[in-house]
């Protein structure tokens, strides 16, 4: 009996020593045997088998795919990342989850808060630190496996105290856990150094895309221009006639659709014939604005306006007589209607300023003039305009009586200068007719007037402008009409190719002439300086006047000077030849090969000066634009090129390629790094 008890005691002791092998943990305070890959827990030294982790206070058996709970010292394997306060077993591509050490099998995913294994192309759950594979972005602060191809599910098997646990009792890596394993081709996770970027420059792609879009836009514009309908033919010419201050210019702007003519309460603002195109009810016609008709005045300027009205009536197909609805009938209106009846052309009578019912009632008095129909309108508010357009359409001839003269392709020349310099006289001389009103009184011209002329087989669009005085004088006199006239004259430069500055040679070039020329240069126009009234000077005085002009206009030393007399036509042909030469240079394009051969000679004879111990290098030059010409130079450190050398290059370009009278623009662009 005692022998049997002794044998049983020895067997029990042997089994207690081998308890870790059977998956049962020893009690707290025991000293278990340590085997390969087994770590002891707090206060215990359990035996650990391969893949088994001990629980708190015990030495559990670890199986393949089972992670230890909190406080355990797990066996580390390749590919795992430890979590906070725990050292779970790390398998290749497996990461522990929050509060639990789940067993991860192929096809099984941990619960929420766990570190799931990621399938290729599958995103991890919230709180996980995913492995970054090619094409997959990790979530914030999580670590997941990159090995297996498994999608996460809600339930997973986890080991606890000698058994399987799930969810909240597991140990996981949070935001402070180790980062994910980087997969091939993936970007860096937060807190890690970014991977080496490609050497490809994204600016090249942007530039190529911009060039492609520009080509597509240009092609689309060409297609749109090809598909655009042909312009409507000119159905005829309609002239607006009436006594001063009846609202003709306001009606002109209303029908044209933009503010072209100068409008003011002061009578006699309009003096010359002003033309504009109108498209109404499917037909296009030319509208002519004229000055106020006043046959009783003995003023020479009024007589000149009367001549302009006669010319407008002679060329018109339809005449619109503009009357004032709120003003009693005057003797001048009787004379006006007699003139229109003798013309033998269709006349439409309108009563302007009929802004109210009372004004319409007062307009009934105009029937005393003997017209059959009177159209009540308000040009300022647009009232009755549709009735007027219907009447004009009915009165226009079915076929135009005269061929249309188009200004397309004509050389646009803006003639500018101070008042009384002879601009209108020169336009009349070139056009061969009294197109503009000419008077000895300064400031005769108000609106910019376009005149189409042809000389020696070449077509010119001459833009006569108002004289531009000093701003202080205009402001002092507080003349709103003159201020608007100056503004229109400046705008005329913007649509011209060549600006002809006409100066009075007898008075000499003044500071105001230099200011006007500066406005033209700023707008990139070709420049020609004309000295008018040379018939009043002898040869010596003319040479002195030219030298004086050179000195005062030294900033445009490249502009040619021509002598002309608008009164007798002397020098007009030579002046037009000079203008044509400047226009050809304005439109000229220089081949890139010639430009670079020119630059080779420039660099040999006069290289760029050094700056800071290093001289900028000029690599390549090409012409980017015409009208005016723009040259682009590729250089190293273009900001170090001195302004004097830039001016030297521009002058050499102008001298070598015959760009006289043209403001040459040269832009220096830094060479892009990596380009050859």
């Amino acid at each position: 009996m005692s022998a049997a008890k002794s044998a049983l005691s020895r067997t029990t002791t042997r089994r207690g020593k081998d308890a870790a092998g059977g998956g049962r943990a020893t009690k707290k305070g025991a000293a278990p045997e340590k085997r390969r890959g087994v770590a002891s827990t707090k206060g215990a030294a359990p035996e650990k088998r391969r893949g088994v982790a001990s629980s708190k206070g015990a030495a559990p058996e670890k199986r393949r795919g089972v992670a230890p709970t909190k406080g355990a010292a797990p066996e580390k394997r390749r590919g795992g990342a430890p979590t906070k306060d725990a050292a779970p077993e790390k398998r290749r591509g497996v990461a522990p989850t929050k509060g639990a050490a789940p067993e991860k099998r192929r096809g099984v995913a941990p619960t929420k808060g766990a570190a799931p294994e990621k399938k290729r192309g599958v995103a991890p759950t919230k709180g996980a630190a995913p492995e970054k594979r090619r094409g997959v972005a990790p979530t914030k602060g999580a670590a997941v496996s990159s090995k297996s191809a498994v999608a996460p599910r809600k339930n997973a098997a986890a080991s606890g105290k000698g058994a399987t646990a799930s969810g909240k009792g597991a140990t996981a890596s949070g935001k402070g856990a180790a980062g994910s394993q980087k997969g091939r081709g993936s970007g860096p996770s937060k807190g890690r150094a970014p991977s080496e970027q490609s050497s490809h420059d994204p600016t090249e792609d942007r530039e190529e895309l911009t060039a492609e879009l520009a080509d597509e836009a240009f092609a689309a514009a060409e297609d749109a221009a090809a598909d655009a309908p042909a312009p409507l033919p000119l159905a005829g010419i309609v002239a607006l006639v009436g006594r001063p201050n009846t609202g003709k210019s306001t009606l002109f702007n209303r029908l044209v659709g933009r503010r072209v003519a100068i409008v003011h309460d002061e009578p006699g603002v309009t003096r010359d014939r002003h033309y504009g195109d109108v498209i109404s009810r499917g037909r296009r016609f030319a509208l002519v604005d004229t000055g106020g008709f006043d046959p009783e005045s003995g003023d020479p300027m009024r007589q000149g306006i009367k001549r302009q009205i006669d010319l407008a009536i002679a060329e018109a197909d339809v005449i619109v007589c503009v009357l004032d609805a709120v003003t009693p009938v005057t003797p001048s209106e009787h004379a006006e209607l007699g003139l229109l009846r003798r013309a033998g052309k269709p006349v439409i009578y309108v009563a302007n300023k009929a802004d109210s019912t009372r004004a319409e009632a007062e307009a009934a008095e105009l029937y005393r003039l003997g017209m059959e129909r009177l159209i009540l309108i308000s040009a300022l508010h647009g009232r009755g305009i549709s009735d007027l357009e219907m009447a004009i359409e009915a009165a226009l001839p079915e076929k135009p009586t005269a061929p249309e003269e188009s200004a397309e392709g004509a050389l646009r020349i803006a003639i500018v200068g101070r008042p009384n310099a002879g601009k209108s006289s020169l336009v009349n001389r070139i056009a061969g007719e009294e197109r503009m009103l000419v008077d000895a009184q300064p400031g005769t011209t108000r609106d910019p007037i376009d005149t189409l002329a042809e000389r020696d087989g070449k077509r010119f669009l001459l833009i006569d402008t108002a004289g531009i005085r000093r701003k202080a004088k205009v402001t002092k006199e507080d003349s709103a009409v003159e201020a608007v006239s100056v503004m229109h004259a400046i705008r005329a430069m913007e649509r011209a190719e060549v600006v002809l500055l006409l100066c009075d040679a007898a008075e000499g070039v003044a500071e105001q002439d230099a200011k006007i020329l500066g406005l033209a240069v700023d707008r990139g126009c070709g420049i020609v300086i004309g000295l008018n009234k040379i018939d009043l000077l002898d040869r010596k005085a003319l040479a002195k006047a030219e030298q004086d002009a050179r000195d005062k206009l030294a900033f445009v030393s490249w502009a040619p000077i021509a002598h002309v007399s608008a009164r007798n036509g002397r020098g007009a042909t030579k002046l037009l030849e000079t203008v044509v030469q400047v226009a050809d240079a304005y439109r000229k394009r220089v081949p890139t090969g010639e430009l670079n051969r020119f630059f080779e000679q420039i660099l040999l004879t006069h290289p760029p000066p050094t700056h800071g111990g290093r001289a900028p290098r000029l690599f390549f030059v090409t012409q980017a634009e015409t009208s005016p010409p723009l040259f682009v130079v590729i250089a190293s450190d273009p900001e170090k090129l001195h302004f004097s050398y830039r001016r030297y290059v521009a002058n050499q370009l102008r001298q070598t390629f015959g760009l006289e009278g043209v403001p040459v623009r040269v832009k220096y662009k830094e060479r892009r790094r990596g380009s050859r």
Side-chain angles (χ1 to χ4, degrees):
M1 188 69 175
S2 60
K5 287 183 179 180
S6 177
L8 179 59
S9 177
R10 288 194 297 269
T11 304
T12 304
T13 305
R14 190 180 302 113
R15 287 181 178 178
K17 291 181 179 179
D18 298 333
R24 295 184 296 272
T26 59
K27 294 183 178 180
K28 187 174 181 181
E33 175 188 2
K34 284 190 176 181
R35 289 192 178 184
R36 178 182 179 185
V38 181
S40 61
T41 59
K42 184 177 180 182
E47 176 188 6
K48 291 183 72 180
R49 285 193 176 185
R50 182 177 185 184
V52 182
S54 60
S55 62
K56 185 175 181 181
E61 176 186 6
K62 283 186 78 180
R63 291 186 179 180
R64 185 172 187 180
V66 181
T69 57
K70 185 175 180 181
E75 173 189 6
K76 285 189 176 181
R77 284 189 169 234
R78 181 179 180 186
T83 60
K84 186 176 181 181
D85 300 330
E89 176 195 13
K90 297 178 73 178
R91 295 189 60 188
R92 183 174 184 180
V94 181
T97 60
K98 183 176 181 180
E103 176 186 7
K104 299 185 74 178
R105 292 184 180 178
R106 188 167 188 178
V108 181
T111 58
K112 185 177 180 183
E117 184 177 5
K118 275 189 72 181
K119 197 170 184 177
R120 183 172 184 180
V122 180
T125 56
K126 186 176 180 181
E131 175 198 17
K132 294 182 71 180
R133 300 199 61 163
R134 186 171 187 178
V136 181
T139 56
K140 188 174 181 181
V144 299
S145 162
S146 66
K147 177 71 177 176
S148 64
V150 181
R153 293 188 299 182
K154 280 192 174 182
N155 298 322
S159 65
K161 283 189 176 183
T164 304
S166 65
K168 294 184 179 179
T171 304
S173 61
K175 293 186 179 180
S180 63
Q181 176 185 358
K182 289 202 276 183
R184 181 180 177 185
S186 63
S189 61
K190 187 174 181 180
R192 288 183 174 268
S195 59
E196 183 179 357
Q197 300 292 332
S198 172
S199 59
H200 178 69
D201 188 2
T203 57
E204 297 180 359
D205 293 338
R206 289 197 295 269
E207 292 178 357
E208 292 177 1
L209 179 61
T210 303
E212 291 176 2
L213 292 176
D215 294 340
E216 292 177 2
F218 183 74
E222 287 185 341
D223 295 340
D227 297 338
L232 295 173
L234 188 67
I237 300 175
V238 179
L240 300 178
V241 180
R243 63 183 181 86
N245 207 23
T246 57
K248 297 183 296 298
S249 296
T250 305
L251 180 59
F252 179 85
N253 292 340
R254 171 68 66 176
L255 293 175
V256 171
R258 60 184 187 276
R259 296 182 179 180
V260 181
I262 298 177
V263 178
H264 197 267
D265 294 337
E266 176 187 348
V269 173
T270 303
R271 295 171 179 175
D272 298 294
R273 288 173 289 162
H274 199 175
Y275 290 77
D277 277 353
V278 178
I279 299 178
S280 173
R281 307 179 67 85
R283 303 191 72 180
R284 183 172 70 93
F285 58 89
L287 189 64
V288 186
D289 186 20
T290 61
F293 180 77
D294 190 5
E296 298 178 356
S297 175
D299 186 5
M301 184 174 294
R302 291 292 181 186
Q303 296 298 325
I305 293 175
K306 171 64 170 54
R307 290 193 298 270
Q308 294 292 321
I309 295 174
D310 292 338
L311 292 174
I313 293 174
E315 67 178 356
D317 298 308
V318 178
I319 301 172
V320 177
C321 179
V322 183
L323 305 172
D324 194 336
V326 296
T327 304
V329 179
T330 61
S332 62
E333 289 175 333
H334 285 280
E336 177 186 356
L337 264 66
L339 176 65
L340 297 180
R341 292 188 181 102
R342 288 192 299 270
K345 295 185 177 182
V347 181
I348 300 173
Y349 297 94
V350 298
N352 192 21
K353 305 182 183 180
D355 302 329
S356 62
T357 306
R358 180 179 179 181
E360 292 179 356
E362 293 178 358
E365 186 183 356
L366 296 175
Y367 279 100
R368 294 171 51 191
L369 296 174
M371 74 278 298
E372 295 181 358
R373 182 189 179 191
L374 182 65
I375 301 176
L376 303 178
I377 68 169
S378 174
L380 182 62
H381 301 97
R383 188 177 183 182
I385 298 299
S386 59
D387 296 337
L388 174 60
E389 290 177 343
M390 292 177 63
I392 292 174
E393 179 190 3
L396 284 172
E398 296 183 359
K399 295 182 180 180
T401 57
E404 178 184 2
E405 293 185 357
S406 175
E408 185 177 358
L411 174 59
R412 301 185 302 275
I413 308 171
I415 304 176
V416 299
R418 291 183 295 154
N420 209 22
K423 300 181 291 298
S424 299
S425 300
L426 181 61
V427 171
N428 291 341
R429 173 63 60 182
I430 297 175
E433 60 174 337
E434 191 179 357
R435 177 65 182 83
M436 304 298 301
L437 177 63
V438 177
D439 192 84
Q441 180 182 350
T444 303
T445 304
R446 298 282 179 82
D447 296 287
I449 306 299
D450 297 355
T451 303
L452 194 62
E454 185 173 353
R455 293 287 294 268
D456 299 331
K458 294 182 175 59
R459 300 171 69 246
F460 304 95
L461 182 64
L462 307 175
I463 308 174
D464 187 19
T465 62
I468 303 176
R469 293 197 300 166
R470 293 174 55 188
K471 184 177 180 180
K473 291 186 177 180
V474 178
T475 306
K476 183 178 180 180
E477 295 182 5
D478 195 19
S479 175
V481 176
E482 185 176 2
V484 176
S485 300
V486 171
M487 181 182 65
H488 285 194
I490 295 174
R491 288 181 180 176
M493 300 183 195
E494 298 175 357
R495 59 189 181 99
E497 296 177 277
V498 179
V499 171
L500 172 61
L501 175 66
L502 204 62
C503 306
D504 191 339
E507 293 183 0
V509 177
E511 180 184 358
Q512 181 65 12
D513 294 316
K515 292 181 179 179
I516 297 172
L517 200 57
L519 295 174
V521 173
D522 293 341
R523 282 152 181 79
C525 303
I527 303 297
V528 176
I529 302 170
L531 296 180
N532 191 23
K533 304 181 183 181
I534 60 173
D535 53 308
L536 303 178
L537 304 177
D538 55 12
R539 183 174 299 179
K540 184 177 180 180
L542 182 59
K544 182 180 179 182
E546 181 176 354
Q547 184 61 39
D548 181 60
R550 293 284 185 192
D551 295 339
K552 293 183 178 179
L553 304 176
F555 68 98
V556 286
S557 58
W558 38 267
I561 296 180
H563 306 155
V564 66
S565 174
R567 175 179 292 181
N568 56 27
R570 177 184 168 187
T573 303
K574 181 65 175 177
L575 173 65
L576 290 179
E577 291 177 358
T578 304
V579 169
V580 170
Q581 291 175 2
V582 172
D584 292 341
Y586 187 77
R587 303 167 178 170
K588 186 175 184 179
R589 178 172 289 278
V590 182
T592 304
E594 294 184 16
L595 282 174
N596 284 279
R597 286 192 291 271
F598 155 77
F599 249 73
E600 289 179 2
Q601 297 297 324
I602 291 295
L603 294 177
L604 288 175
T605 57
H606 194 163
T610 59
H611 184 277
R614 183 178 178 183
R617 298 178 61 189
L618 307 181
F619 300 104
F620 181 77
V621 60
T622 186
Q623 184 175 357
E625 296 177 3
T626 61
S627 305
L630 170 64
F631 300 94
V632 178
V633 180
I634 307 300
S636 66
D637 301 327
E639 67 278 357
K640 295 182 179 179
L641 281 171
H642 198 264
F643 74 90
S644 60
Y645 191 79
R646 295 171 183 254
R647 184 175 55 198
Y648 166 76
V649 171
N651 291 335
Q652 290 299 314
L653 283 169
R654 184 180 292 111
Q655 181 179 353
T656 304
F657 299 106
L659 302 177
E660 185 182 10
V662 178
V664 175
R665 300 176 298 166
V666 183
K667 181 179 179 181
Y668 294 86
K669 186 177 179 182
E670 187 173 3
R671 186 179 186 181
R672 190 171 56 197
R673 294 181 180 180
S675 60
R676 294 181 179 179

